[in-house]
Amino acid sequence: MTTRDPGLASPPHGPATATVPPPTDGSVLEIRCPADGSVAGSVAVDTPADVAAAAARLRAAQPAWEALGPKGRAKHVLRWLDWILDNQERLVRLAQEESGKSWGDASFETLVATEVINYYTKHAEAFLAPRSARPHGPASLTKKLVAQPRPHQLVGIITPWNGPIGTQAMDAIPALIAGAAVLSKPSEVTPLSWTELTRAWHEEIGAPPVLETVNGRGETGAAVVDEVDMVAFTGSTATGRRIAARAGERLIPASLELGGKDPMIVLADADLDRAVGAAVWGGMHNAGQACISVERVYVEASVHDEFVAKLVEKVAALRVGKDAPASYETDIGAMATPAQLDIVERHVQDALARGARVLTGGRRRDDGLFYEPTVLVDVDHSMACMREETFGPTLPVMRVDDAEAALRLANDSPYGLSSSLWTKDADRAQTIARRIESGSVNINNALMSAFQFPLPMGGWKSSGVGSRFGGASGLLKYCRQQAVVSERIALPGEPHWYPYVAAKSLLQAKAFRFLGAHDWRRRLGRTPR
Ligand code: NAD
């Protein structure tokens, strides 16, 4: 865990109480709530030397952790879950303070961690069990074949700011349960709640020292990539490319969960009320700062106007602002950073300049980093709001002639993370879903595919490489596969060993040809004319 100078940095587990301002040399990150600018806490920045020292401690602890086996490891992780549930309100509050989310949105943070822990502790033993295989071919008949998953010793988990607890949990928990040690690097924008969870792992439940969190900006993340045996990265496509390049140089595996521009397709026979509700929650959850947000909507012409009217009514009714813990008084929180707010504003202004219309919202507020939930119409693919990731509370809606036009536009993107498809025709939905170029499709829903742990969650095209979850794959991605081949019958020697003897080798060659060929002519060694 990060070594902190108590004289400089406040403890990572609560709002800062220090009256002394942090140093200005960049060695401490002071975290302010984007909703009201109040100080939420601070953490010390870890240097590459700190990261290397953490990696060395984790490597020393990992063999004993792996030796505990899935059941032994699950005991510690489940005690951690107990602690999370006992401290849920405080953790959600910390996540809310550092991210500016509404209470309702922030509550998903601990919910995700709870669900991931329960799913993977329940199935770990089965998912990590050695897999026996039948030998293939006569030369292997006497062999016993087992594929044995063995964890990478040290896994790095690097995450963005939109899910301060949940996104770390989605990757760090499966990696720990797989038997790896984990070096976490949360976002420099929202490091507090995951750092607190890491403190609890050590100090509150006394779990083995196989989880450490290092804090800092991109340099700290780069130092993590330089130390670990495998990296699971979630964040922007630009950073993902840099991490992939460095992982390539180091020859370590990297799984990359990157940006998205998820389309929603609404066909004429859709349940419009449900589709509108999903568009609002799917597009505005976390103020639109979710990788799998609904970012653009294509509606078949015959229902476009009705859909838009219902959408505007619902979006205009959303309550924006910071709410008190457990009050659920607002729906939509703040943008996490001024830079993110600028992107949203630029996309709306660009759309307006190119002929789009704002039907509700379309303005930043001056009482915090809030942007009003916005519906845009008359949009097209020349506009940034339809091509670049907005990551904000905007829903640009485009009228399309038919399903073919919607599909063409949905696939006209460098991204391919998730998507949402609306029709009452179940067979047609399956046919259309197979033509959407994205890692997941929600039929008559939005966002939910990301939380179906038995299924993979991963991006196609520039949205990523690899996936998380996917049943056993969610643990096996943190493992190397060791092929263990043993002899059922130990003969004095193998027929193919040295020395080669012409008579014996020719006989073997004939036997292999006889067994390997698919027709009698070749079995008997006759060559084709
Ligand atoms: P970002 O790429 O700027 O930062 C992500 C993390 O990478 C941070 O912790 C940062 O410190 C670290 N980092 C930066 N440079 C690095 C480097 N050279 N080496 C190693 N680490 C480095 O992303 P962001 O702005 O924090 O997050 C928003 C992005 O995350 C959006 O594009 C969003 O779509 C994406 N995202 C994707 C998923 C998914 O599952 N596909 C989930 C959530 C967010």
Side-chain angles (χ1 to χ4, degrees), residues 21 36 61 63 125 161 172 199 237 263-264 279 288 299 333 338 376 411 417 465 470 517:
D36 59 13
E125 216 175 3
W161 40 258
R199 184 197 66 76
T237 298
M264 179 186 222
V299 186
L376 285 159
N411 290 337
L417 191 53
V465 177

Side-chain angles (χ1 to χ4, degrees), residues 415-426:
Y415 295 109
L417 191 53
S418 189
S419 54
S420 170
L421 171 63
W422 292 80
T423 169
K424 286 187 188 136
D425 183 335

Side-chain angles (χ1 to χ4, degrees), residues 158-163 167 170 185-189 216-223 225 233-240 242-243 256-260 290-292 340 389 391 417 457 459 463 468:
I158 302 176
T159 49
W161 40 258
N162 59 332
T167 313
M170 289 198 290
K185 211 300 273 176
S187 168
E188 58 272 40
V189 178
R217 306 173 185 82
E219 310 81 67
T220 309
V225 181
F233 170 75
T234 306
S236 65
T237 298
T239 308
R242 281 197 283 278
I243 288 179
L256 306 169
E257 306 291 339
L258 310 177
C291 55
I292 40 156
Q340 196 55 49
E389 187 180 46
F391 228 55
L417 191 53
M457 180 218 173
S463 289
R468 57 163 67 95

Side-chain angles (χ1 to χ4, degrees), residues 81 83-95 101 103-118 163-167 169 173 193-194 197 328:
L81 171 59
W83 183 87
I84 292 170
L85 293 174
D86 291 348
N87 291 272
Q88 191 165 11
E89 183 156 332
R90 195 166 63 78
L91 289 168
V92 172
R93 177 151 180 249
L94 196 50
K101 292 173 194 249
W103 184 265
D105 283 351
S107 300
F108 282 88
E109 296 297 319
T110 48
L111 180 67
V112 170
T114 304
E115 292 288 288
V116 175
I117 289 175
N118 280 328
I165 297 173
T167 313
I173 289 165
S193 46
W194 187 256
L197 272 155
Y328 298 94

Side-chain angles (χ1 to χ4, degrees), residues 37 102 208 216 253 268 293 299 304 330 354 371 508:
S102 67
S293 269
V299 186
H304 173 272
T330 69
R354 292 168 191 271
Y371 197 87
Q508 273 179 39

Side-chain angles (χ1 to χ4, degrees), residues 270-280 306-307 310 314 422:
D271 176 341
L272 283 196
D273 288 317
R274 186 173 158 82
V276 165
V280 177
E306 187 183 351
F307 178 90
K310 288 174 187 278
K314 267 203 184 320
W422 292 80

